[in-house]
Amino acid sequence: RRNTFNLEKNVLYNLRRLNKTGNDWHEQVRDIEIDDIQEQNNMIYNKEQRGAFGLLCGGGVKVLTGLAGTGKTAVVRGLVTYWEQYRQEKYGSVTLLASTGMAAKVMSEKVGREAATIHKELKIIPIEDDDLDEFGMFGAAIDAGLIIIDESSMIDLRIFSILLSRIKNETTVIFVGDDGQLPPVGIGQPFSDIMKISDVQHVHLQKI
């Protein structure tokens, strides 16, 4: 369908825009800084989990995956703490989003920061009429330097397209999920698709 084609085109355009401008800044994540975050969060990260902090070396669209029990949430909590301490002043604040109300609630509790649903953040009102799929494309941009989206496998193409179009240049965007989880109810499987793009930095946690 033409509509699906337009949404895919929009996703690719915004993905390229975010990855291109995301390369405009680069800062190393140092081991000593991760040690500091470990201490603050009362955590010990394994080598694989420490590697995930590399997602914060620059902007652009990134993916963090792993099966249940590999410590995705603990890593997300670490990434948020790290960003607030070493990046926020220069690059902007953190916004946490999730695909469902339940996922947002769990994310808030486990990360210790307020998380919202994507629909709420983007002020999307569900519309059944297919002709109005462009609805919500032109709202305000999300004012954040780091955006982390949980339960990303459940986001359909339309919501994914609107979300990317509302993210400012140079922002660090991390889609978190488990490729074995439920696919979206709506059209497309954008989370699975972006994992196949070589420009998208992908950290996969395997160690339980």
Side-chain angles (χ1 to χ4, degrees):
R1 281 168 58 207
R2 193 176 133 264
N3 204 9
T4 307
F5 173 73
N6 285 341
L7 290 172
E8 285 173 347
K9 206 165 79 172
N10 189 56
V11 165
L12 274 175
Y13 167 78
N14 283 300
L15 198 66
R16 288 190 188 121
R17 168 181 67 83
L18 289 165
N19 283 346
K20 189 167 182 288
T21 60
N23 284 330
D24 290 349
W25 70 272
H26 183 85
E27 292 198 26
Q28 284 300 336
V29 170
R30 303 203 310 262
D31 271 336
I32 193 167
E33 295 168 342
I34 299 174
D35 292 343
D36 182 35
I37 300 305
Q38 277 195 147
E39 209 164 293
Q40 283 184 51
N41 284 349
N42 198 16
M43 268 296 302
I44 293 177
Y45 297 112
N46 63 33
K47 196 175 173 208
E48 205 175 56
Q49 291 166 336
R50 288 177 83 93
F53 283 81
L55 294 168
L56 303 182
C57 288
V61 176
K62 298 144 195 286
V63 169
L64 173 65
T65 56
L67 296 169
T70 52
K72 286 196 303 287
T73 310
V75 168
V76 168
R77 194 165 156 232
L79 296 178
V80 170
T81 311
Y82 183 97
W83 185 276
E84 288 173 343
Q85 192 154 323
Y86 296 105
R87 299 278 188 268
Q88 185 158 282
E89 206 172 310
K90 197 170 175 184
Y91 299 107
S93 62
V94 178
T95 291
L96 299 180
L97 300 174
S99 53
T100 64
M102 193 61 194
K105 188 170 178 286
V106 170
M107 193 183 194
S108 298
E109 285 166 6
K110 289 191 174 172
V111 179
R113 307 283 185 285
E114 193 56 44
T117 63
I118 299 168
H119 281 73
K120 191 177 176 188
E121 181 68 31
L122 301 180
K123 298 181 173 61
I124 297 170
I125 300 156
I127 292 176
E128 297 304 316
D129 187 346
D130 280 353
D131 295 336
L132 293 173
D133 258 6
E134 305 308 307
F135 180 84
M137 289 276 188
F138 306 106
I142 300 172
D143 185 23
L146 171 66
I147 300 170
I148 301 181
I149 305 101
D150 201 12
E151 298 284 0
S152 299
S153 65
M154 293 170 74
I155 306 170
D156 68 24
L157 186 59
R158 178 173 164 259
I159 300 302
F160 205 85
S161 173
I162 298 171
L163 175 61
L164 287 189
S165 70
R166 298 270 191 95
I167 298 173
K168 297 183 308 190
N169 287 353
E170 297 187 20
T171 304
T172 303
V173 188
I174 303 174
F175 286 97
V176 182
D178 167 0
D179 33 343
Q181 273 173 334
L182 293 168
V185 176
I187 53 163
Q189 287 186 303
F191 181 62
S192 288
D193 293 341
I194 64 163
M195 283 197 269
K196 300 178 187 117
I197 299 172
S198 58
D199 285 356
V200 174
Q201 189 183 353
H202 182 183
V203 170
H204 180 62
L205 303 175
Q206 298 183 64
K207 219 171 165 170
I208 293 178

